[in-house]
Amino acid sequence: MSEKHSGDNGGSPDCGDEPRRYHLDSDDYRRDLVPMFAEVVPIAHAVRVELDEEWLDEAFGEDDSERCVEALAAVDALDPERPDDRTRCFSLGTGRESEDALFALLDAATTMVGEHFVFRLALLDDSGNELLVTIPHESMLWGESPPLSERIVASIQELLADRVGLFVASTVYERWETGDHAYRFDTTAIVQSTLDRKTSRTYCSALSARHLDIVDETTLVFDTPMGEKVVPCVTRERAERVAKTVRALRRRYDGTRL
């Protein structure tokens, strides 16, 4: 089947004045959780946390549950706002107790029980905007700039420089089609979709590939833990651009040269 040649739009997309969402992609979310939040605390005004107290059961792990109970007690001692049964909000900067309560929650979230007990936690600025958000049981952590300043984003990225991880902007670098599929290079992954875009899947990750070759000038072949992944890029220029970006991401992530 012949290939459809979509526009060969190179370079990074123009994001204009829209906020850029950054997310943590790391080999060890628990290791990076607390220090990343510590980078943002100095500019934060408040904490909003959603807690799933059903996990406070010693049957799941006595030590973990104790850390969660202690964190909950530290939060409730602050007399937080309770917009619903699950959510607690408290201000930072009202004394050391508020920061201690925050870091007790984050410490609990690094345990098996705590990652479910601390369902969702966000640092807020003085306007109520979310600066940094985590959903521990999904190992998800993200923030948008603005309201995060470029300085804070850079400090987080510097923190990760000696770790296997990235705080990387969500970016669609390329979109293209073949006669069989639509593709996009989205942040750190090649996503393959049906031509109508109704279904899609992460086809391969820039961060898990063990090797990358350009074959026949227009085709990328990724060696992944799941076997070879062949990505037709239609044009030589696109194949070279995608390969260059993948290699740059890998060098930043873990120092690997593909």
Side-chain angles (χ1 to χ4, degrees):
M1 185 178 291
S2 62
E3 293 178 328
K4 297 180 181 179
H5 290 246
S6 60
D8 192 35
N9 184 22
S12 298
D14 182 4
C15 296
D17 296 326
E18 293 297 314
R20 301 192 75 186
R21 173 169 285 202
Y22 290 81
H23 69 90
L24 172 66
D25 205 327
S26 167
D27 72 330
D28 191 341
Y29 161 87
R30 291 181 178 181
R31 175 199 66 205
D32 297 332
L33 174 64
V34 175
M36 285 188 63
F37 268 79
E39 291 291 314
V40 182
V41 164
I43 65 166
H45 178 74
V47 176
R48 183 176 64 237
V49 61
E50 298 171 41
L51 300 174
D52 189 347
E53 295 183 51
E54 291 183 2
W55 284 86
L56 298 183
D57 184 338
E58 290 186 4
F60 291 109
E62 184 175 353
D63 291 342
D64 290 2
S65 295
E66 184 176 344
R67 288 162 75 174
C68 295
V69 169
E70 290 175 354
L72 178 59
V75 172
D76 284 346
L78 300 173
D79 192 23
E81 295 181 14
R82 298 285 302 273
D84 55 55
D85 289 342
R86 188 171 189 163
T87 305
R88 290 164 169 81
C89 304
F90 60 92
S91 176
L92 293 171
T94 57
R96 184 67 190 177
E97 293 81 4
S98 58
E99 283 195 24
D100 287 346
L102 166 63
F103 284 106
L105 288 169
L106 293 171
D107 177 65
T110 64
T111 69
M112 184 180 68
V113 175
E115 69 182 10
H116 297 279
F117 167 66
V118 183
F119 179 80
R120 189 178 192 273
L121 188 151
L123 290 181
L124 311 177
D125 68 9
D126 56 6
S127 298
N129 299 309
E130 294 181 338
L131 294 166
L132 203 61
V133 184
T134 185
I135 301 178
H137 73 277
E138 295 182 355
S139 297
M140 291 179 61
L141 195 162
W142 72 90
E144 287 190 350
S145 177
L148 278 180
S149 68
E150 293 181 5
R151 177 182 63 81
I152 294 295
V153 171
S155 70
I156 292 173
Q157 291 172 334
E158 184 178 355
L159 169 73
L160 296 172
D162 295 328
R163 305 169 183 233
V164 179
L166 289 174
F167 192 53
V168 62
S170 298
T171 304
V172 178
Y173 296 100
E174 301 271 351
R175 298 181 188 269
W176 69 97
E177 293 182 3
T178 69
D180 300 312
H181 296 98
Y183 291 89
R184 70 178 185 271
F185 181 14
D186 189 344
T187 311
T188 61
I190 305 293
V191 179
Q192 184 189 75
S193 306
T194 55
L195 290 174
D196 60 11
R197 271 66 168 189
K198 289 185 178 179
T199 62
S200 63
R201 61 172 178 150
T202 297
Y203 187 61
C204 58
S205 167
L207 305 184
S208 64
R210 297 177 295 206
H211 192 68
L212 172 62
D213 283 321
I214 300 178
V215 178
D216 297 331
E217 296 189 338
T218 64
T219 301
L220 300 180
V221 179
F222 291 82
D223 176 18
T224 80
M226 304 300 292
E228 278 193 353
K229 301 291 184 179
V230 178
V231 181
C233 289
V234 182
T235 69
R236 177 177 60 82
E237 292 79 9
R238 181 182 292 113
E240 291 175 350
R241 282 198 305 270
V242 172
K244 181 179 180 181
T245 304
V246 167
R247 288 166 175 153
L249 285 167
R250 277 302 296 274
R251 286 196 298 272
R252 288 167 52 199
Y253 179 67
D254 66 0
T256 301
R257 293 182 177 273
L258 296 179

